[in-house]
Every structure is written in C-alpha cells, then in structure tokens.
C-alpha cells in the first residue's frame, strides 16, 4: 500500500498519513483499528473523479466534513487538513480509492 506523509507548512510537523488502497482492504483495516484505546476517525476518499483540483477540494471537504469556512484553495486546504480539532480524535485515517 503506498503511503504519503503530509507536513504542515505552518508548523513543520507531519500531521497525517495518506494511504492508497483497494476498497476491499479498507474495511479490514478499519475494523482492525477499532479495538484500540485511541479514538480513530476513518474516511474514504473516492478520488477517481478528482480530475482537477476543484474536485479534489470538493471530495476532501465533503468526506472529512471540513468547516464551513473552507475556501477551496491550497492555503485553506493546508489550514483545515492540519487542524482537525473539530473531529475530536487521536488518530485520523484517510483512505484513497
């Protein structure tokens, strides 16, 4: 499974990992992590239709439920993806299909 890390341009920290996987493997992975002591938020991003950045922003915003002030641009994306405090979790799993 390919995996990418994303580092905030604001803090310089790696805040999340992006994992590319087949859909049939996602449920197994999510169920395996549900028994942990950490609160986990899992999201499936269906990016086959993301042929332009506008569609990518739309998919992230709707799947992860970005706040209402998300501006559909790279700066706003960086701000929202690196501050997921409204989700109240310790671990964030993003699956891309």
């Amino acid at each position: 499974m390919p995996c990418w890390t994303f580092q905030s341009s604001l803090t310089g920290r790696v805040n999340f990992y992006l994992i590319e996987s087949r859909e049939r493997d996602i449920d197994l992975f999510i169920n395996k992590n549900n028994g942990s002591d950490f609160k986990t938020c899992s999201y499936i991003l269906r990016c086959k239709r993301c042929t332009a950045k506008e569609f990518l922003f739309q998919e992230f915003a709707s799947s992860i439920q970005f706040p209402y002030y998300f501006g559909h641009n790279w700066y706003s994306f960086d701000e929202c993806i690196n501050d997921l405090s409204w989700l109240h979790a310790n671990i964030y799993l993003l699956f891309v299909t």
Side-chain angles (χ1 to χ4, degrees):
M1 262 189 269
C3 179
W4 298 270
T5 59
F6 283 79
Q7 184 174 5
S8 170
S9 62
L10 301 173
T11 65
R13 295 184 328 220
V14 173
N15 287 344
F16 71 92
Y17 299 88
L18 182 68
I19 301 167
E20 181 181 1
S21 177
R22 296 173 299 190
E23 283 196 55
R24 66 177 181 241
D25 298 331
I26 293 172
D27 287 333
L28 296 172
F29 190 81
I30 290 173
N31 290 333
K32 189 175 188 178
N33 285 296
N34 281 340
S36 73
D37 294 335
F38 298 102
K39 171 128 173 53
T40 304
C41 287
S42 302
Y43 301 96
I44 299 173
L45 301 159
R46 291 177 173 82
C47 291
K48 289 180 182 177
R49 59 180 167 236
C50 297
T51 55
K53 69 179 179 180
E54 291 80 17
F55 299 124
L56 180 72
F57 292 145
Q58 208 170 39
E59 182 64 22
F60 268 82
S62 62
S63 295
I64 302 174
Q65 301 172 349
F66 278 174
Y68 70 92
Y69 56 81
F70 174 59
H72 291 83
N73 58 59
W74 288 115
Y75 181 80
S76 185
F77 178 82
D78 182 61
E79 180 184 350
C80 289
I81 203 69
N82 286 296
D83 177 17
L84 300 173
S85 59
W86 72 89
L87 297 175
H88 307 293
N90 303 94
I91 298 172
Y92 307 98
L93 300 173
L94 305 177
F95 295 94
V96 177
T97 62

